[in-house]
């Protein structure tokens, strides 16, 4: 009865438009009240315990660093570098969008930041260059999920913190999947370029042009290399590296490029606070619901239910992916991760998956949900920024979604590929 009340409370509040963080918290409180009034004292304790993890400090720092780089305009140097490298191909601006997404990912780790930044810059440029606006938005949405896959990834920090998995290992494991997503999306663009009549670039760039673009984008491109080198080399924790990234962004944006005003810094701080506040509210609220689920052995029941269908690891992995993709259609991915990770992670251990492998599989599945209707966050960011309809973007997006689901299956079922870099680095 308690489980039914919690489900009704949660989905009912979502249906009435209550933000997901509040809906999760209220549903958790409903479950605890059903257990007995004496358990209510657990609510503030669980909310605090859910946030009392040192690695969580890395999130606001990485978000702040990305906002500073974006506000100062440094990231446009990356766009020009990407255009110099691949813009000469048919569909060159679409290819440049993908390559720039890889570079931008190392600065923010955020799909919505990628969508907002490129929705304001690359989409209008692509439309001016002869691309249909829905297609330009679809390319941007498809590339945006590279952000939270390639490190620094906010989802990797959350997963590693709550599940006790190496964040450095998750960062390393996200590199190849992120690059594969870029490669397969560029393949989709190349295969459909002639049929869609995509414009062709002006020809191969000269070494001088590439060199000039590399010089312009060098300082921005150096940041992700510096962050990864510090973390994966064992010189800094993710939190320390995130703080250093903020200092680097301030120096480059404020002193080298002189593109930051005090007003910019204020607006960047406000935006970072809002984004971090939303994420932390979801984490704190999900801690209440997660404790209630654990107390009532719901994770064990779900695991036993899946194992009753089949004990074949291949089938179990498929069921996990299906569950994540379906729930991701209708629920915020941060909330989904925080609620389902404690449920699914023990199940992956039972079938013999490495914790880092399981973590990056779960993270990538949820990332794909960012661009799937009806609640894909990147779709709505692009729709609001560009004025394009979500339905029109979605129609152009399906080939990219199918391609990225293919990469998800490769990541899920080919552990040696996924764990190649972590093993190489001894993680």
């Amino acid at each position: 009865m308690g489980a039914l009340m919690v489900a009704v409370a949660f989905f009912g509040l979502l249906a009435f438009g209550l933000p997901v963080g509040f809906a999760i918290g209220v549903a958790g409180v409903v479950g605890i009240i059903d257990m007995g009034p004496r358990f209510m004292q657990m609510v503030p304790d669980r909310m605090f315990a859910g946030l009392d993890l040192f690695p969580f400090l890395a999130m606001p720092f990485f978000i702040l660093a990305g906002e500073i780089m974006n506000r100062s305009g440094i990231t446009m140097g990356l766009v020009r570098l990407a255009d110099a490298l691949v813009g000469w191909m048919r569909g060159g601006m679409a290819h440049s969008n993908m390559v720039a997404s890889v570079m931008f990912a190392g600065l923010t780790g955020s799909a919505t930041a990628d969508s907002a930044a490129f929705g304001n810059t690359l989409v209008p440029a692509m439309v001016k260059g002869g691309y249909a606006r829905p297609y330009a938005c679809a390319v941007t949405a498809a590339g945006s999920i590279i952000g939270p896959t390639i490190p620094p990834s906010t989802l990797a920090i959350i997963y590693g913190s709550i599940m006790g998995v190496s964040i450095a290992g998750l960062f390393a494991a996200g590199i190849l999947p992120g690059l594969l997503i870029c490669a397969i999306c560029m393949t989709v663009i190349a295969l459909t370029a002639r049929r869609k009549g995509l414009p062709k670039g002006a020809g191969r760039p000269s070494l001088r042009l590439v060199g000039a673009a590399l010089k312009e984008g060098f300082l921005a491109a150096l940041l992700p290399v510096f962050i990864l080198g510090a973390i994966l080399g064992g010189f800094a924790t993710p939190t320390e590296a995130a703080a250093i990234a903020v200092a680097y962004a301030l120096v480059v944006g404020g002193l080298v490029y002189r593109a930051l005003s005090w007003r910019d810094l204020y607006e960047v701080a406000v935006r970072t606070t809002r984004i971090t506040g939303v994420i932390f509210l979801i984490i704190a609220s999900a801690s209440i619901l997660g404790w209630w689920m654990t107390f009532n052995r719901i994770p064990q029941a779900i695991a036993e239910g899946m194992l009753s269908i089949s004990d074949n690891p291949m089938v179990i992995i498929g069921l996990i992916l299906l569950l994540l993709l379906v729930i991701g259609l209708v629920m915020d991915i941060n909330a989904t991760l925080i609620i389902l990770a404690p449920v699914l992670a023990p199940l992956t251990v039972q079938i013999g998956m490495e914790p880092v492998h399981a973590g990056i599989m779960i993270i990538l599945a949820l990332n794909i949900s960012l661009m799937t209707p009806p609640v894909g966050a990147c779709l709505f960011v692009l729709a609001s920024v560009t004025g394009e309809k979500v339905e029109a973007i979605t129609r152009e997006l399906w080939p990219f979604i199918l391609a990225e689901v293919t990469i998800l299956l490769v990541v899920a079922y080919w552990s040696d590929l996924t764990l190649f870099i972590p093993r190489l680095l001894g993680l």
Side-chain angles (χ1 to χ4, degrees), residues 55 58 62 149-153 155-161 164-176 227-239 241 355-357 360 363 418-427:
F62 276 130
T149 304
I150 286 181
S153 164
L155 284 184
I157 295 171
I158 295 174
Y159 185 90
S161 300
V165 178
S166 167
I167 295 176
L170 290 170
F171 277 7
I175 296 173
L176 275 181
I227 293 171
L228 286 180
I231 296 173
L232 301 181
F235 301 107
T237 66
T239 303
V356 169
H357 180 206
I360 205 66
I363 289 168
T418 308
L419 297 175
F420 174 74
I421 293 181
R423 287 171 178 168
L424 188 67
L425 298 172
L427 300 171

Side-chain angles (χ1 to χ4, degrees), residues 29-402:
V29 170
V30 168
I32 290 177
I33 291 174
D34 182 67
M35 292 166 56
R38 68 184 186 278
F39 287 99
M40 280 298 294
Q41 62 184 345
M42 296 294 299
V43 172
D45 178 68
R46 294 320 309 166
M47 292 184 73
F48 178 79
L51 293 173
D52 189 24
L53 293 170
F54 179 73
F56 279 165
L57 286 175
M59 274 190 290
F61 282 124
F62 276 130
I63 293 169
L64 179 58
E67 289 292 328
I68 292 171
M69 297 290 278
N70 192 28
R71 177 56 67 98
S72 63
I74 298 171
T75 51
M76 287 310 298
L78 298 179
V79 174
R80 285 185 278 272
L81 174 58
D83 189 58
L85 294 174
V86 297
W88 54 271
M89 304 165 65
R90 180 174 292 279
M93 294 186 75
H95 289 297
S96 299
N97 195 322
M98 286 296 165
V99 174
S101 292
V102 173
M103 298 177 181
F104 196 69
L107 302 179
T108 66
S110 168
T112 52
D114 187 315
S115 296
F118 290 170
N120 274 319
T121 54
L122 282 183
V123 169
M126 290 177 70
V127 172
K128 188 176 180 181
Y131 293 78
R133 189 167 61 177
Y135 182 79
C137 290
V139 170
T140 303
S144 68
I145 75 158
I146 298 172
T149 304
I150 286 181
S153 164
T154 299
L155 284 184
I157 295 171
I158 295 174
Y159 185 90
S161 300
I162 63 179
M163 299 310 304
V165 178
S166 167
I167 295 176
L170 290 170
F171 277 7
I175 296 173
L176 275 181
L179 294 177
L180 287 174
I181 289 172
C182 177
I184 200 167
C185 286
M186 291 180 72
T187 302
V188 170
I189 294 168
L191 291 176
T192 59
R194 289 191 180 277
R195 178 172 59 83
K196 288 184 171 292
L198 300 183
K200 190 174 182 180
R204 293 179 183 271
S206 65
L207 288 178
R208 183 178 180 181
L209 179 62
V210 173
L214 182 60
K215 181 180 179 180
E216 182 183 3
F218 177 75
L219 288 176
L222 187 63
L223 178 58
V225 175
F226 181 74
I227 293 171
L228 286 180
I231 296 173
L232 301 181
F235 301 107
T237 66
T239 303
E240 292 166 345
I244 294 171
V246 173
Y248 181 92
L250 284 171
V251 170
V252 173
L255 300 181
V256 178
Y257 287 92
R258 299 186 180 278
L260 288 174
S261 65
W262 289 109
R263 178 68 181 178
D264 290 330
L265 292 176
Y266 170 77
E267 292 178 357
V268 161
V270 170
R271 179 169 169 78
T272 300
T273 302
R274 287 175 176 169
I275 295 172
T276 304
V278 170
I279 295 174
F280 279 11
L281 174 63
I282 292 172
I283 293 173
S285 299
S287 299
I288 305 171
L289 185 59
W291 182 84
W292 172 82
M293 293 173 66
T294 302
F295 186 89
N296 289 277
R297 296 182 57 81
I298 292 177
Q300 291 87 337
I302 293 175
E304 291 168 3
M306 285 191 174
L307 290 172
S308 68
I309 297 174
S310 173
D311 58 359
N312 186 323
M314 306 284 278
V315 175
I316 296 298
I317 289 173
L319 291 173
I320 290 173
L321 295 179
L322 181 62
L323 175 66
L324 290 169
L325 291 173
V326 170
I327 292 181
L329 292 174
V330 296
M331 191 169 168
D332 176 84
I333 65 168
N334 292 301
T336 304
L337 179 67
I338 296 162
I339 292 173
L340 289 185
V343 175
L344 299 177
L347 180 58
T348 61
V349 172
Q350 282 185 257
I351 61 175
M353 292 186 75
E354 291 282 343
V356 169
H357 180 206
I360 205 66
M361 175 189 76
I362 291 170
I363 289 168
L364 181 54
L366 292 177
N367 286 344
I368 291 175
S369 300
L370 287 167
M371 61 173 190
T372 52
V375 296
C378 292
L379 292 179
F380 286 96
V381 168
L382 283 164
S384 64
V385 168
T386 66
E388 188 55 72
K389 293 181 179 180
V390 170
E391 297 83 357
I393 300 173
T394 303
R395 282 195 294 270
E396 297 286 355
L397 193 55
W398 281 112
F400 296 104
I401 293 176
L402 294 176

